[in-house]
Amino acid sequence: MKTIYLDSNFICHITNDGTMVEVHTEAFDEICNNAIELMRFVPQGEIWTRPDGRIIYGEFIQTIDSAKIDAYQRQWMEDQERMTDMQTALEILGVTE
Amino acid sequence: MSLVLNMIGGGGSFTATDAILRVQAPSGSTVTITKGSTTKSDFGHPNINRPTIYDYYFIIHQSQFDSYNPWTITATRDSDTNTTTIIINASDEYDVSISYHVPIDLYQEVEFLQSTGTQGILFSGTYGNGTSFELKVQPTVRPSNGGQFLGFGTGSTARGNHQFDQNWGAYYHSDYQVLLAADALPTTYGIITGTFTSNQFITSLEYNGITGSHTYSYTIPSYNGSTLFYSRNNNGNAERGSSKIFYYKLWKDNVITIEAYPCYRLLDSVAGFYEKVSGTFYINQGSGTFTVGGDI
């Protein structure tokens, strides 16, 4: 479960500038913060009226820049894997917190 | 009316006795209308309310009205083409929409549908010898995290299943073959093709300019159903993966029976695959919500 913040266009943010709506969701559990900020999330029960007049009904999740999201996710997963490897090495060496 | 007149393709001046034909088609299309030896074409203009759809305007003069012979409307974009017809026999406004993959008045096509390991699409039907398919897919988790994106066979009978996984691997019963050595998160999509014929299953993967393939020889059963974003294992349990799927096509005896494109329904924004052969919209049969790619 992650806490995200939605601006008036339902674009996701990691920090609240004071005008955003706080939302808790499991939809982005495996998504890194940089990628989350390139996504749109309309929560269940909410509607978003796009500038062109079309109504989008929640729950609705859409990528805004899928190429950048892919790049951020790859980097994040590699970092996560390196972290896991380091923790494994420390455990083998008997180093604990 | 002056706005319309500025957009008219095909030339000619407009008078009150003429008809106007407005064709809506996906952006980037070239639309041509023909009747007999008369041809008019237009590159279109963005629809003011829907940027991914273009409007194409044509004047039909009164002398061209015809109650018996329709105009043929052809839209083309890259390798896609589609046609429809309309009778124009009065000084009126005519509206036609034409699309390639999904009906644009009911659905918004998107680049892909993406799962997170809980979603799934099930196509009913039976498949086996004589079946071939093509899938454009991009796994979105590392191979070590497992999970499947395509399966044949949905029952609990062990030998009825055939599946493809995040490791670019194909699996049948106890035979597992990685089609392409890819020990990393894919950086782009791959296209998987397969053919079940004469008790051989031949499958290949094209990824980033590299091709891998494998041939299985066995008595091919009659598969009950085909699944996207998951498959059934030998115990009949669903194994779900995280991936993007861009389209899925399947042929039986060289006749296309599944041609599915990702989209969301304009009525309620529910994401799914529109299967254009049967005109059926397939929605998530798992849990959670699909992430959709950008509108196209």
Side-chain angles (χ1 to χ4, degrees):
Chain A
M1 182 78 76
K2 278 191 174 178
T3 300
I4 60 170
Y5 304 94
L6 303 177
D7 66 21
S8 57
N9 283 315
F10 290 87
I11 293 174
C12 304
H13 298 271
I14 297 305
T15 56
N16 190 349
D17 70 356
T19 66
M20 299 174 183
V21 176
E22 183 175 314
V23 172
H24 307 280
T25 178
E26 295 177 351
F28 300 122
D29 283 354
E30 298 300 320
I31 309 292
C32 70
N33 288 349
N34 286 335
I36 287 174
E37 296 207 319
L38 292 170
M39 302 187 81
R40 174 170 283 117
F41 179 69
V42 182
Q44 182 76 41
E46 302 269 341
I47 62 168
W48 171 48
T49 304
R50 291 178 14 164
D52 62 12
R54 186 190 308 161
I55 294 175
I56 300 292
Y57 300 87
E59 185 173 271
F60 182 81
I61 309 168
Q62 187 167 36
T63 60
I64 294 171
D65 188 331
S66 59
K68 281 186 180 173
I69 289 172
D70 280 357
Y72 283 135
Q73 279 292 101
R74 271 196 301 277
Q75 184 63 53
W76 179 70
M77 288 182 187
E78 287 170 8
D79 291 347
Q80 295 283 101
E81 197 162 81
R82 269 195 292 272
M83 189 73 77
T84 302
D85 289 346
M86 287 168 58
Q87 285 173 342
T88 303
L90 289 172
E91 285 173 14
I92 291 171
L93 293 171
V95 179
T96 57
E97 288 184 26
Chain B
M1 187 57 75
S2 60
L3 177 65
V4 172
L5 285 174
N6 287 334
M7 294 177 175
I8 287 173
S13 57
F14 178 79
T15 70
T17 57
D18 293 336
I20 287 184
L21 169 62
R22 182 181 72 155
V23 180
Q24 291 198 313
S27 61
S29 301
T30 298
V31 173
T32 301
I33 65 170
T34 58
K35 187 169 75 71
S37 59
T38 305
T39 297
K40 306 178 183 209
S41 63
D42 190 16
F43 292 102
H45 310 271
N47 181 282
I48 196 166
N49 291 322
R50 204 171 163 193
T52 59
I53 302 299
Y54 270 36
D55 294 324
Y56 303 77
Y57 287 95
F58 300 91
I59 297 173
I60 309 297
H61 298 300
Q62 190 176 32
S63 61
Q64 297 170 315
F65 292 172
D66 190 334
S67 296
Y68 303 101
N69 301 302
W71 288 84
T72 298
I73 304 166
T74 303
T76 58
R77 184 184 64 181
D78 301 326
S79 60
D80 294 318
T81 187
N82 202 358
T83 62
T84 188
T85 58
I86 186 172
I87 291 279
I88 295 178
N89 57 5
S91 54
D92 206 343
E93 294 180 19
Y94 295 81
D95 283 299
V96 172
S97 67
I98 190 166
S99 56
Y100 309 111
H101 301 151
V102 307
I104 58 178
D105 51 339
L106 298 175
Y107 303 94
Q108 173 62 56
E109 187 175 1
V110 292
E111 190 185 2
F112 56 79
L113 248 58
Q114 181 173 353
S115 68
T116 54
T118 62
Q119 298 84 354
I121 298 283
L122 167 64
F123 296 98
S124 58
T126 55
Y127 310 103
N129 277 319
T131 297
S132 58
F133 64 87
E134 180 177 309
L135 176 74
K136 183 176 177 180
V137 59
Q138 180 179 345
T140 55
V141 296
R142 291 184 64 81
S144 55
N145 289 338
Q148 277 73 45
F149 50 72
L150 172 63
F152 288 93
T154 59
S156 58
T157 305
R159 292 186 64 82
N161 300 308
H162 204 125
Q163 61 195 38
F164 293 81
D165 70 13
Q166 312 284 7
N167 198 33
W168 294 131
Y171 175 90
Y172 174 71
H173 196 46
S174 59
D175 189 357
Y176 180 82
Q177 179 69 36
V178 176
L179 300 176
L180 201 65
D183 186 26
L185 190 69
T187 56
T188 184
Y189 61 84
I191 295 179
I192 284 190
T193 59
T195 302
F196 298 94
T197 180
S198 302
N199 286 330
Q200 278 200 323
F201 176 61
I202 305 159
T203 186
S204 69
L205 164 68
E206 183 182 329
Y207 170 75
N208 227 3
I210 309 168
T211 300
S213 62
H214 184 63
T215 298
Y216 297 82
S217 295
Y218 58 94
T219 302
I220 293 173
S222 177
Y223 293 112
N224 179 24
S226 177
T227 54
L228 296 182
F229 300 107
Y230 74 103
S231 69
R232 297 279 177 185
N233 64 18
N234 284 348
N235 296 318
N237 299 319
E239 294 183 344
R240 300 178 189 275
S242 300
S243 56
K244 297 177 185 176
I245 292 180
F246 300 78
Y247 66 74
Y248 180 46
K249 299 178 184 178
L250 183 143
W251 296 260
K252 290 172 80 170
D253 298 323
N254 297 318
V255 176
I256 193 157
T257 56
I258 294 176
E259 187 174 1
Y261 296 97
C263 59
Y264 58 89
R265 197 161 46 194
L266 295 177
L267 177 70
D268 54 12
S269 309
V270 170
F273 275 84
Y274 180 78
E275 198 289 290
K276 67 179 282 190
V277 176
S278 63
T280 305
F281 183 56
Y282 288 87
I283 63 172
N284 182 19
Q285 297 204 330
S287 60
T289 302
F290 281 118
T291 297
V292 301
D295 293 355
I296 56 175

